[in-house]
Amino acid sequence: MQRYGLSSQEVQESKRQHGQNILPVPPRQSFMSKLRDNLQDPMIKILLVALLINVAFIYNGHSDWLETLGIFVAIALAVLVSTWSEYSNENAFQRLQAEASRSSCKVWRDGEPRSLPIEEIVVGDVIMLEAGDKVPADGITLTGKLEVDQSTLNGESEPVTKISREIGQEATQGRDLLDDHSLYRGSVIVEGNGLMLVERIGIASLYGQLTQELREDDRESPLKLKLKHLAERISKLGYSGGVLIAVAVMAHKLVLAGGWAAYTCNWSVVSSDLLQAVILAIIIIVMAVPEGLPLMIAIVSSLNMRKMLENHVLVRKLVGIETAGSLNMLFTDKTGTITKGQLEVITLRTGEGKKYHALVEAPAAMQALFLEQVLLNTSATMGAAGPIGGNITEKALEKFAEGTISTSLMDELPQRVELMPFNSSNKYSWAKVEHSGKEYYLIKGAPEKLLPHCKYYWSEEELPLTMSETLRLQQSFWLQQQAKQAMRLLALCTFEGGELGQELPEKGLTLVGVVAIRDDVRPEAVEAIAQVQQAGVQVVMITGDRKETAMAIAREAGLLVSEKELVWTSAELAAMSDEDIKENLSKLRVVARALPLDKLRLVRLAQEKNLVVGMTGDGVNDAPALKRADVGFAMGSGTEVAKEAGDIVILDDNFLSIKQAILYGRTIYKNICKFIVFQLTINFAAVVTSFIAPFLGIDKPLTITQILWVNLVMDTLAALAFGGEPALGSYMAERPKHRSEPIVSRRMLEQIVFSGTVMTVVGLAFFQSNCIDSLFRGAPDHIYTYTGFFCVFIMMAVANAFNVRTDELQVLKNLQQNPAFWRVMLLIVAVQIGMTYLGGSVLRTAPLVAQEWLVVAGCALLVLAVGRIFKLFKLNT
């Protein structure tokens, strides 16, 4: 069975006993489930209470159905848009995951090899593994010797050796990743080939168990916390204001009636007045709540999520992008995120000090010596046209040799007799080769390991010359310089003086040359890191590299710029107490030789300092830290488990895309703040005007239906206008918002009160100023003056929208990037003009003439002018 695998009958029996090799998909929320969750939003709850009260009054015949309809529409639009955005993006993510997880493996079935999807693997199957294959399940090595990369499971970059278990040898208890015989799903074969017996599949595998451990509750996003506090404050103010205005109205009626006795002699009048006061109180409460805010959040999030997808950022959860804008600290991987993730040979330096930046530049003799190392001292499989597979270092050497490998060269190559693979203890590999009856060794490894054993070097004429002390010192100096530039160095040597084993001869190696290899920093990442740092986000690079290499990369990327900034190794981190780490965390820039548990610990400690923390990751071992962070950035090339744990998937693994996520997160926050100022200014003016008017003898400056019309138009349409405001680079120059910082800042509050007061004064002047009243046609019920005030209130709100959308004095700045804004505002103006003709008794309107419209326009422009004065004042203070 070990050789030929299971029969079809045995496969079915195994499926019946152990199931299929399918990882459990985390339970997905249905559309209705997400809808129920979104109904728990604090703002929505306030609106639901108001809706229920209005329904009750409609039932008793004391409320307007338009008011109830307006509240219902606001709730329905907000909840449906946000739910659909999350639901559709989650479906897109699942399609991405399904496509990424489609892979197959070679398995023995019914005595012959077959290629099957990994989902069809069962316990007892015999899998054929070779370099480049991903292990599809947990099991043991039956035959062969394998070098396995288990970094996705434990974060260790060094491959481990797996050998076959001898007959009768007792199996290791538990799940030990360092066990010589055990193979685990998710790991990758780096070198060798062999057979594997499947023992555990699906959820029973270690990979499957890790996915089940990611059940930690999510923290509330900073934005949700701020909106929750805002909703609590608005509800308290609304309820207090409603009660206060009801009491004030009843007191006013009492005074007008001439006292308590005179007023209470007719209880039918008292009950009617009391009902009207209660209805007015409810309207004040509804007016105080920015009904359009939930809709606006849904719209702005949805619009920006689509834009971000174009920038290689897939948002799985709205909370992720909301929180990204508030990040204080970002822990990021190095390889593939800050660097390109592709090793490249920069220079070949020969024993006599000559340098070549491509192998084709070197003399033919040097090319031949180098190619033997590339083609024979390698874990890759030799094909007709050259090597197939190999690790990333060997692929870099192959690329360096491009243009020099030919069919004739392949025919003339020596024959490889034996290969000793690279291992972390020796730090070198060798291949024993034979050519024309002559045997010799090709050796490749760390310069610090090989150079002390070199006595000779190959000249360009392919003659071994004795290495002088001067050349040795020059080579040593060059190596030091390259290490400081984050170069990975590899020495290439030959040996003809006998047999090699696990130990090198004291002297006798001949140096071919030293290659400098590096994973270049992405040019766009350097600029992106600078912008993120300018935005007040502390960026910490976490890498498995040694300290010197990590520091060199960090300097080049702009992370290390002063001696006061800290670089810790995993060992140094482990020796420190939590309090010591928290005390020095603000100066940390690099963690070298990092382990997965280091990431989790750093996230926890940063959050204990009340920081908003982001974490990048790609492996299974990164998943707990991704889940724990306020924002988990999973790499698109990473494991399915990491992407499940993350909030945002960076499809191109690029730090620039992380910067874009932060920018769009800030854009969402800024647009929400703009809308809050816009909405609360209108609400402030409407509430204060309605409160003061009865005491000035003004009867209903705004009717209930007009108030509902203002709310309906300004909530829904304005949400569309502000939702499309562009992502501006200037947002990255602002400091991040603290987690506990209120969403309504002092400046916002000043703007709301200032503009709201101006609108209130202009509104009351309409009724108290004979001058303004004279500009409108006379009528017994002052219908034209009342219509003028209604239109002025709408037009002032439109003018204030232009003030609010930018902090610049030029209110039209960047307007071309959001054409929906001026279109929506133009639509509001057009609809309002139309309503003066069509509103009639329902909206208490009448058509205005040109002179009256000029008065309305002048009042609206006054708000623009006053808004400019406010900005000038704030700029000079």
Side-chain angles (χ1 to χ4, degrees), residues 396-568:
L397 295 175
E398 291 166 21
K399 187 175 181 181
F400 185 72
E402 278 182 355
T404 60
I405 302 175
S406 62
T407 305
S408 59
L409 174 72
M410 296 292 293
D411 293 339
E412 295 174 5
L413 273 180
Q415 294 296 311
R416 188 168 70 186
V417 178
E418 187 180 354
L419 175 70
M420 189 192 81
F422 178 90
N423 63 69
S424 56
S425 58
N426 289 342
K427 295 188 180 299
Y428 64 86
S429 67
W430 56 250
K432 184 178 182 181
V433 298
E434 185 270 329
H435 190 257
S436 303
K438 177 184 175 183
E439 290 187 344
Y440 57 96
Y441 289 85
L442 306 171
I443 310 168
K444 176 177 69 183
E448 65 269 22
K449 190 75 176 180
L450 300 185
L451 288 182
H453 299 273
C454 289
K455 186 177 181 180
Y456 311 101
Y457 67 91
W458 285 102
S459 69
E460 293 185 352
E461 291 76 28
E462 206 172 355
L463 296 173
L465 303 177
T466 302
M467 183 177 288
S468 68
E469 192 60 29
T470 301
L471 281 176
R472 194 182 301 278
L473 287 172
Q474 288 175 351
Q475 191 80 9
S476 178
F477 178 75
W478 184 78
L479 293 176
Q480 292 174 17
Q481 294 297 109
Q482 298 304 300
K484 289 179 182 178
Q485 296 176 35
M487 295 289 184
R488 181 178 176 183
L489 301 166
L490 196 66
L492 310 177
C493 303
T494 62
F495 177 66
E496 301 180 6
E499 293 292 323
L500 278 185
Q502 294 294 323
E503 298 294 331
L504 293 172
E506 186 173 340
K507 290 289 182 182
L509 300 190
T510 304
L511 178 66
V512 175
V514 177
V515 289
I517 308 173
R518 70 171 293 159
D519 183 4
D520 279 335
V521 172
R522 293 177 183 262
E524 67 273 21
V526 178
E527 183 180 352
I529 288 170
Q531 291 176 346
V532 170
Q533 289 176 324
Q534 184 185 7
V537 182
Q538 181 182 342
V539 181
V540 179
M541 184 181 80
I542 299 182
T543 175
D545 284 338
R546 66 182 191 175
K547 192 172 184 177
E548 294 77 13
T549 303
M551 289 174 67
I553 291 289
R555 288 193 187 97
E556 188 174 345
L559 288 171
L560 273 178
V561 293
S562 83
E563 294 181 359
K564 294 181 180 179
E565 293 168 335
L566 298 177
V567 178
W568 292 337

Side-chain angles (χ1 to χ4, degrees), residues 252 689 691-699 764-765 767-768:
H252 184 62
T689 301
F691 182 81
I692 296 175
F695 301 98
L696 298 178
I698 304 169
D699 183 31
L764 293 175
F767 301 101
Q768 295 297 102

Side-chain angles (χ1 to χ4, degrees), residues 473-705:
L473 287 172
Q474 288 175 351
Q475 191 80 9
S476 178
F477 178 75
W478 184 78
L479 293 176
Q480 292 174 17
Q481 294 297 109
Q482 298 304 300
K484 289 179 182 178
Q485 296 176 35
M487 295 289 184
R488 181 178 176 183
L489 301 166
L490 196 66
L492 310 177
C493 303
T494 62
F495 177 66
E496 301 180 6
E499 293 292 323
L500 278 185
Q502 294 294 323
E503 298 294 331
L504 293 172
E506 186 173 340
K507 290 289 182 182
L509 300 190
T510 304
L511 178 66
V512 175
V514 177
V515 289
I517 308 173
R518 70 171 293 159
D519 183 4
D520 279 335
V521 172
R522 293 177 183 262
E524 67 273 21
V526 178
E527 183 180 352
I529 288 170
Q531 291 176 346
V532 170
Q533 289 176 324
Q534 184 185 7
V537 182
Q538 181 182 342
V539 181
V540 179
M541 184 181 80
I542 299 182
T543 175
D545 284 338
R546 66 182 191 175
K547 192 172 184 177
E548 294 77 13
T549 303
M551 289 174 67
I553 291 289
R555 288 193 187 97
E556 188 174 345
L559 288 171
L560 273 178
V561 293
S562 83
E563 294 181 359
K564 294 181 180 179
E565 293 168 335
L566 298 177
V567 178
W568 292 337
T569 63
S570 179
E572 291 169 341
L573 198 64
M576 298 172 68
S577 68
D578 286 356
E579 291 306 314
D580 287 339
I581 293 173
K582 284 195 280 188
E583 185 179 342
N584 293 284
L585 194 58
S586 62
K587 294 181 282 187
L588 180 63
R589 295 296 179 270
V590 178
V591 179
R593 293 298 189 192
L595 300 175
L597 288 178
D598 295 332
K599 291 186 175 183
L600 195 58
R601 186 185 183 196
L602 288 168
V603 170
R604 174 177 60 81
L605 295 177
Q607 288 176 337
E608 287 178 6
K609 292 190 68 176
N610 210 26
L611 299 175
V612 181
V613 184
M615 171 64 74
T616 71
D618 55 7
V620 175
N621 56 296
D622 294 327
L626 289 170
K627 186 74 174 176
R628 176 68 185 259
D630 294 289
V631 188
F633 295 96
M635 298 298 110
S637 62
T639 63
E640 291 86 348
V641 176
K643 284 182 272 190
E644 288 285 355
D647 305 297
I648 295 173
V649 181
I650 305 299
L651 299 176
D652 61 352
D653 296 3
N654 196 333
F655 192 90
L656 177 63
S657 299
I658 298 176
K659 188 271 292 187
Q660 290 296 100
I662 295 172
L663 172 60
Y664 279 107
R666 293 192 170 195
T667 300
I668 290 173
Y669 187 90
K670 293 286 286 188
N671 290 353
I672 289 170
C673 287
K674 291 175 185 178
F675 184 76
I676 288 173
V677 173
F678 170 76
Q679 270 273 279
L680 293 187
T681 301
I682 295 172
N683 295 359
F684 177 91
V687 169
V688 174
T689 301
S690 298
F691 182 81
I692 296 175
F695 301 98
L696 298 178
I698 304 169
D699 183 31
K700 295 181 181 177
L702 289 171
T703 67
I704 290 174
T705 310

Side-chain angles (χ1 to χ4, degrees), residues 112-186:
E112 61 182 30
R114 297 180 186 177
S115 179
L116 296 176
I118 61 172
E119 292 85 359
E120 295 187 21
I121 300 303
V122 299
V123 172
D125 266 331
V126 174
I127 310 294
M128 291 177 281
L129 296 173
E130 59 185 32
D133 286 347
K134 186 177 285 188
V135 179
D138 290 2
I140 61 167
T141 311
L142 285 179
T143 65
K145 181 179 179 181
L146 304 169
E147 293 294 315
V148 183
D149 177 2
Q150 299 181 145
S151 59
T152 58
L153 297 170
N154 63 2
E156 294 288 345
S157 58
E158 292 291 344
V160 294
T161 303
K162 303 291 181 177
I163 57 176
S164 58
R165 183 190 297 164
E166 295 179 8
I167 298 174
Q169 185 176 353
E170 188 175 334
T172 303
Q173 298 300 312
R175 293 177 176 176
D176 181 7
L177 290 170
L178 298 179
D179 178 60
D180 291 338
H181 317 294
S182 300
L183 294 164
Y184 297 93
R185 177 171 180 161

Side-chain angles (χ1 to χ4, degrees), residues 86-351:
E86 286 196 18
Y87 183 74
S88 59
N89 254 42
E90 187 65 15
N91 284 344
F93 172 73
Q94 289 309 313
R95 288 194 295 271
L96 182 73
Q97 286 287 72
E99 186 174 335
S101 61
R102 287 189 196 125
S103 58
S104 58
C105 61
K106 297 179 285 294
V107 56
W108 282 94
R109 288 278 179 88
D110 293 318
E112 61 182 30
R114 297 180 186 177
S115 179
L116 296 176
I118 61 172
E119 292 85 359
E120 295 187 21
I121 300 303
V122 299
V123 172
D125 266 331
V126 174
I127 310 294
M128 291 177 281
L129 296 173
E130 59 185 32
D133 286 347
K134 186 177 285 188
V135 179
D138 290 2
I140 61 167
T141 311
L142 285 179
T143 65
K145 181 179 179 181
L146 304 169
E147 293 294 315
V148 183
D149 177 2
Q150 299 181 145
S151 59
T152 58
L153 297 170
N154 63 2
E156 294 288 345
S157 58
E158 292 291 344
V160 294
T161 303
K162 303 291 181 177
I163 57 176
S164 58
R165 183 190 297 164
E166 295 179 8
I167 298 174
Q169 185 176 353
E170 188 175 334
T172 303
Q173 298 300 312
R175 293 177 176 176
D176 181 7
L177 290 170
L178 298 179
D179 178 60
D180 291 338
H181 317 294
S182 300
L183 294 164
Y184 297 93
R185 177 171 180 161
S187 51
V188 177
I189 308 302
V190 175
E191 182 183 326
N193 55 68
L195 297 178
M196 164 194 172
L197 176 65
V198 176
E199 293 184 332
R200 290 178 298 274
I201 59 174
I203 193 173
S205 67
L206 177 61
Y207 192 98
Q209 290 297 309
L210 285 168
T211 64
Q212 298 306 297
E213 291 175 8
L214 303 176
R215 299 299 183 200
E216 187 179 332
D217 293 335
D218 293 323
R219 305 175 78 195
E220 282 192 302
S221 74
L223 180 60
K224 282 198 172 182
L225 285 172
K226 295 175 194 294
L227 291 175
K228 184 178 180 180
H229 294 152
L230 178 64
E232 290 171 354
R233 291 180 182 179
I234 287 176
S235 61
K236 288 177 183 177
L237 288 172
Y239 296 143
S240 302
V243 171
L244 187 61
I245 202 166
V247 171
V249 167
M250 292 303 294
H252 184 62
K253 297 285 186 182
L254 184 65
V255 171
L256 291 177
W260 177 260
Y263 186 52
T264 56
C265 66
N266 188 343
W267 282 103
S268 63
V269 173
V270 173
S271 61
S272 177
D273 288 345
L274 181 61
L275 183 60
Q276 288 300 315
V278 171
I279 291 174
L280 182 59
I282 293 169
I283 293 300
I284 293 298
I285 293 170
V286 173
M287 204 182 327
V289 178
E291 294 97 325
L293 185 55
L295 173 63
M296 192 271 171
I297 293 171
I299 290 173
V300 72
S301 298
S302 179
L303 289 173
N304 282 284
M305 283 164 68
R306 287 200 292 272
K307 291 176 186 175
M308 290 173 69
L309 197 55
E310 296 171 4
N311 285 280
H312 313 292
V313 179
L314 174 64
V315 180
R316 290 193 57 228
K317 303 172 187 175
L318 285 178
V319 65
I321 188 56
E322 290 171 2
T323 311
S326 301
L327 284 181
N328 303 112
M329 178 169 278
L330 174 63
F331 295 104
T332 177
D333 287 333
K334 173 187 72 73
T335 304
T337 306
I338 293 176
T339 63
K340 294 178 181 177
Q342 299 172 346
L343 291 182
E344 181 181 1
V345 175
I346 304 300
T347 308
L348 165 64
R349 189 181 193 276
T350 66

